[in-house]
Amino acid sequence: MQDSHVRIFDTTLRDGEQAPGCTMSLEEKLEIARQLQRLGVDIIESGFPAASPGDWAAVHQIAKEVGTADGPVICALARANRDDIDKAWTAIQPAVKKRIHTFLSSSDIHIEYQFKSTREKMLERAREMVRYARSLCDDIEFSPMDASRSDSAFLHQMLTAVVAEGATTLNIPDTVGFTTPDEYAEMIRGILANVPGIENCIISTHCHDDLGMAVANSLAGVRAGARQVECTINGIGERAGNASLEEVVMALHTRNAYYGVSTNVRTTELTRSSRLLSSFIGIPVPPNKAIVGGNAFAHESGIHQDGVLKNRMTYEIMSAETVGLEGNMLVLGKHSGRHAFRMKLVSLGYEPENEDEFQKVFERFKELCDRKKKIDDRDIEALITGEHQRVEEVYKLEHVQVITGTSLTPVATVRLVDQQGHQHLAAAHGTGPVDAIYKAIDSVVKRPVELLEFSINSVTEGIDAVAEVSVRIRDTIAAQQAAAHPGIDLFNGYGVHTDTMVAAAEAYMGALNKLLQDRGRRINDEKSAYADGYDQAKTGYAVDSFANTSK
Ligand code: KIV
Ligand code: ZN
């Protein structure tokens, strides 16, 4: 009988993080991994350890903290070479359940132009590397990259070879997002029919969204017999992204009678997972995005509202509560005490590391109570996100004031305090209030940056709603090294406040502080990776490879 459990393989921290501007710090990756565990994914692809010592260190730390006996399988990606496989294997060591995922192209276009090789040589390399990986680890996933544009006979030959060498999961990537649902399903059926030993393996989908068909293709794959889906929160990933986890999961959940399969995902954690990621990478979720978009459960038209008021089923195929959007909305306010607030944090899955950290969030909550009457889960989640985003401040924003209005040139004054306790006062005018504030801050920090993105969102409805501001900046100096180390030049910041201008200032300061901290952090990540067993000699990374990013 067909297995009715579809494994959810989350690759937000690997394929997702590979997307431009989605780079996360080690702490942020850990926080996402903890949330993925709460969400109930079966496998976390935690990174690509051979990419850099920092990536290795992040995978190692996730394996240590999240790879517990009752936690998910911790997987690491490796190209089909011994060095990558060794790095993946050493990085995931602390996890109880470990998986190595290795890949090699199977399409002629990749073999000829990228690898300048032959089918025979690629086949031999796949065979050899899966054999090597299997000598280390019992759980081996193999991906024939660009499978959807590969000759099917050769694809079957390569898969047959790796199954014989002990691969346990065969992942079938539509690397360039080229295929259609019918074709993808046909490919999975072809593999099931033509690869001896496939009955002992799990077939997995891995679909990119270049033509907007990643989710449809993944679901077609499941219909055809795939029992693992690779996907990312909010669908982030290379180019147009990967199949979106929340869409795949809710399609399987809502249309259970049609698909006849289930997942282990706690759907009520979907909204929180989406928001957490969005705040870390500074990329807001589009309002019309299925499942987690701000409008996904909003009924605007009179006819729809009328129907929903009479019976929700008239226009709702799933409820906001199921995806964690509403439900446990215990409203807190001015009179709520420390105990009620602590209980609320626990129910939201946030455990402050110590009393100091609790006290800081509590104080921010009390400040918010002075400005906003009713505080619900969404406000508190925004406060928590703000706290997660806080890095050790190189400059602390102590004061911001802006004068603006019709027929006035906006003028901002800021007061920043550095780590030695020195105060820096500055004023600037700008084309708008945000421009004025950012120019005043720039005149103190003196680090050339480019503002790439700026977005404001209202956390809840209501005139006294909290504003959340996300910004992304590019460090002009690090941008010169970005070709060699993609992503090192981009920094995100997040601010939350009832005053939009204060939130904007906080977001900018957050991004700048991350940037200023970054040089030291990278060197520390590298040092700890070496201390924990990363082998410098094999990659040639030097501990101080980022040390020349001078101010
Ligand atoms: O899209 C792709 O082919 C990949 C592989 C590494 C699995 O991400
Ligand atoms: Zn991919």
Side-chain angles (χ1 to χ4, degrees), residues 15 206 208 242:
D15 215 336
H206 181 106
H208 281 269
N242 288 65

Side-chain angles (χ1 to χ4, degrees), residues 12 51 113 257 269 284 296 321 332 362 422 448 480:
T12 305
Y113 295 104
E269 292 290 334
E321 287 84 355
L332 297 179
F362 186 62
H422 300 132
Q480 291 151 10

